Amino acid sequence: MTEKRAIVTGGSTGIGRGLVKALSDAGYRVAFTYHASTEAAETLEAEITGARAFQCDAGDADQVAACHASVAKALGGVPDLLVNNAGIQTWSPLLDLAAEDFDRVIRTNLRGCFLNTQAAGRAMRDAGVAGSIVNIGSGCNKLGFPRLADYAASKGGIEQLTKVAAMELGPHGIRVNCVAPGAIATDRTAEEADGYADKWAALTPLGRVGTPEDVAGPVLFFASDAAQFVTGQTLYVDGGVFSRAPWPDYDL
Ligand code: NDP
């Protein structure tokens, strides 16, 4: 494949880190952003040949615009692929949720996705790059998860933003899709709850939690020519868990 360029937001840890590695293995020159994890970003930058790390707050419009310009310079051209992966989560019952936490989650997850989509979309349009944008969603795109009102609102927003961006950027040859992971083993989810992996594996038809590599395959598919007529879609990468209907425990 001719060398392509990608930018991944929130690339220094977890799923983003897996995406940076997988895209590099697939032949992309990769830039990734980070916010607070400077050490992890520097380690990854050293590990992956050609990878470039950029500190950028996904929710800050000026930083995002400057970052995309710097990335294009560093990679030698406008990226063909943006993966909107940066995200944060808080846990609180709706009635106790602090407005500041709601704002922080929406700012990072939804506004961050919007700002990066806008910056990448403008750059792709101006450079005539028929690129691809992949947003990382969640089961919260479609299901109601208790104690995640802010996070669910952000991911539901990303689902709709994906569709509108696909409509508006399609005429420029830019495709926009969403990969919505199920329970994925990352350092963050390991700290989320005792027995996280076992508990989610028991609920998941494929009998295990996913890995960042499981998420990377569908991202690569959406970015590839194999998906050249696919836009505005959400693909659940969840081992089947979000297709599972609740069902009472009775004998039929
Ligand atoms: P991590 O916490 O490991 O990754 C989140 C990344 O987002 C970090 O690298 C973090 O960078 C970055 N980030 C946070 N705030 C900002 C900001 N303001 N600006 C730029 N980057 C920021 O979690 P995961 O890997 O688990 O999650 C990655 C994505 O996958 C998220 O969007 C999440 O919602 C989604 N997801 C994950 C699932 C899972 O089971 N793991 C399931 C469904 C969806 P830094 O550390 O430098 O701040």
Side-chain angles (χ1 to χ4, degrees):
M1 136 180 171
T2 50
E3 191 174 68
K4 294 206 169 197
R5 306 175 188 93
I7 173 169
V8 178
T9 67
S12 59
T13 63
I15 291 173
R17 184 182 174 82
L19 291 172
V20 170
K21 287 185 174 178
L23 289 166
S24 173
D25 288 348
Y28 280 86
R29 288 201 68 193
V30 189
F32 64 93
T33 68
Y34 64 97
H35 187 221
S37 301
T38 308
E39 204 180 317
E42 286 170 358
T43 305
L44 185 62
E45 196 178 30
E47 259 175 45
I48 307 282
T49 312
R52 297 289 306 272
F54 293 83
Q55 188 167 31
C56 175
D57 177 355
D60 183 302
D62 291 341
Q63 286 187 33
V64 170
C67 175
H68 280 255
S70 302
V71 165
K73 254 189 207 159
L75 299 189
V78 168
D80 308 272
L81 169 65
L82 160 69
V83 186
N84 278 309
N85 167 76
I88 56 172
Q89 199 177 55
T90 63
W91 290 98
S92 170
L94 170 65
L95 299 184
D96 299 329
L97 178 57
E100 294 73 24
D101 281 349
F102 184 90
D103 288 348
R104 198 161 53 86
V105 170
I106 296 292
R107 181 181 181 279
T108 301
N109 300 7
L110 183 54
R111 179 179 155 97
C113 181
F114 156 67
L115 290 174
N116 279 278
T117 297
Q118 191 179 58
R122 284 174 176 164
M124 288 175 187
R125 176 201 61 192
D126 293 348
V129 169
S132 174
I133 297 173
V134 181
N135 299 326
I136 302 299
S138 153
C140 288
N141 281 34
K142 66 170 175 178
L143 296 172
F145 285 77
R147 300 184 181 203
L148 286 173
D150 47 4
Y151 182 78
S154 75
K155 293 296 183 178
I158 284 174
E159 169 96 15
Q160 288 303 107
L161 180 57
T162 300
K163 291 176 192 165
V164 175
M167 298 307 99
E168 294 200 21
L169 301 184
H172 301 292
I174 302 163
R175 296 178 299 102
V176 188
N177 291 289
C178 177
V179 165
I184 306 297
T186 64
D187 290 345
R188 181 182 65 80
T189 53
E191 285 169 13
E192 187 173 297
D194 280 344
Y196 173 92
D198 288 344
K199 285 176 182 158
W200 277 101
L203 287 175
T204 301
L206 290 183
R208 65 174 177 86
V209 289
T211 64
E213 292 71 33
D214 288 321
V215 179
V219 169
L220 280 163
F221 162 69
F222 275 138
S224 76
D225 287 346
Q228 64 189 346
F229 202 50
V230 181
T231 196
Q233 299 302 304
T234 294
L235 181 58
Y236 287 90
V237 180
D238 64 351
V241 68
F242 300 135
S243 297
R244 179 174 207 146
W247 197 256
D249 184 17
Y250 54 63
D251 290 332
L252 291 175

